Amino acid sequence: MFRRTWLLGAAGTLLHARAAAAAPWKLATGYRAESFHARNLLALAQSVEAATGGGLRIELHANGSLAPLAQVADAVREGRAEMGETIMTGLARAMPIAGADAVPFITRHYDDARRLWTHQRPLVERAFAERGLRVLYAVPWPPQGLYSARPIAAPQDLRGLRMRTYNATTVRIAELLGATPVDVPMPEVGRAVAEGRIDTMITSAVTGVENRVWDGLKHFYDINAWFPKNIVFVREAAFLALPAVQRDALAVAAAAAEPRGWSASQAAARESLDELRRHGMKVELPAATLSTPLRRLGERFALEWIREVGPQANAIFIPYYSSSTT
Ligand code: PCA
């Protein structure tokens, strides 16, 4: 009897241990599983799984299937997922500092974007920590360009056009341009273009490629407006509940994921421009009649943003500009 109880007890413990190890973490993203950001997440999940001998498995829930993009951070805070990826500018309402990513014409290339992240990161980490979240890493989308069904020679050509937007910051940019904002989540852009629901949008070349927008939007102006970053984070309580070896494995994998993601973004930026051209799109630099007023508009956006953020804006932009070598 004693023996039987003991055996049952042992089996129960074993089952319990296996169940605990087997429960994977949920990782929510609003983007597609095939995108370069998600491939990077999958590589992180693989290295964590390998380093922990399967002790920590991370399961990707892509395409907004667990929570729509705008709700990913709340889903992680509330425990519907342990880990999430969202676009940082999407958090700008609650966390104004996160909006530094979408101030137009501040960053000219990936090196600038990297410097901006260096100065922005401590503030963003603090803002996340105040919400019970821990930042793992951030990776930018390729530079934002202007797509249009018709040629655009000056900002007034955008007046009254239906401009696809993806969050509050892009809505404000559409308003400043006099366009009508139309909210379309990234995985639905292809359909919106095919159904003729949008005339123009500002996003990366890779997003145009993934959504095969070339039949509807024939022009791409390489205005290099900003480098929005996706941010990957975990719920602090879930992180602290992990055994130390698993916490370390996650930290090591996140530290590797950031530079790997930046390289993937740069590669995607180059390849996607070629791909747009191959599908007959006209890829051009903007005429001065377009780029000069766009810059002025960028300055207006920057002033609004600085007014909203207050002194924290200086904490980013003063070191950002003083560390510029060009
Ligand atoms: N693609 C995403 C965000 C920025 C980008 O380049 C989108 O268009 O929604």
Side-chain angles (χ1 to χ4, degrees), residues 214-277:
W214 33 76
D215 291 335
L217 303 177
K218 300 285 181 197
H219 301 266
F220 180 88
Y221 298 96
D222 199 0
I223 60 172
N224 203 21
W226 67 92
F227 289 73
K229 291 185 288 290
N230 276 6
I231 187 155
V232 178
F233 50 93
V234 295
R235 191 169 62 262
E236 181 71 5
F239 181 78
L240 293 177
L242 294 174
V245 281
Q246 296 184 6
R247 286 203 298 266
D248 290 349
L250 187 56
V252 167
E258 185 158 288
R260 186 177 59 226
W262 283 69
S263 305
S265 177
Q266 267 177 292
R270 278 191 305 270
E271 288 156 16
S272 313
L273 278 181
D274 289 342
E275 187 76 6
L276 294 180
R277 279 194 202 96

Side-chain angles (χ1 to χ4, degrees), residues 11-64:
T13 311
L14 200 73
L15 273 178
H16 183 75
R18 200 174 286 154
W25 264 23
K26 292 195 180 89
L27 162 54
T29 180
Y31 298 108
R32 291 191 180 96
E34 308 80 53
S35 73
F36 76 90
H37 285 294
R39 283 203 303 271
N40 197 28
L41 288 171
L42 289 170
L44 172 140
Q46 266 166 15
S47 49
V48 169
E49 188 167 340
T52 61
L56 177 57
R57 292 189 298 121
I58 299 171
E59 208 172 73
L60 184 70
H61 296 258
N63 248 342

Side-chain angles (χ1 to χ4, degrees), residues 31 87 141-142 144 164 166 186 203-204 207 228:
Y31 298 108
I87 187 160
W141 289 90
Q144 306 292 286
R164 179 256 167 172
Y166 55 77
M186 195 285 211
T203 186
S204 56
T207 292

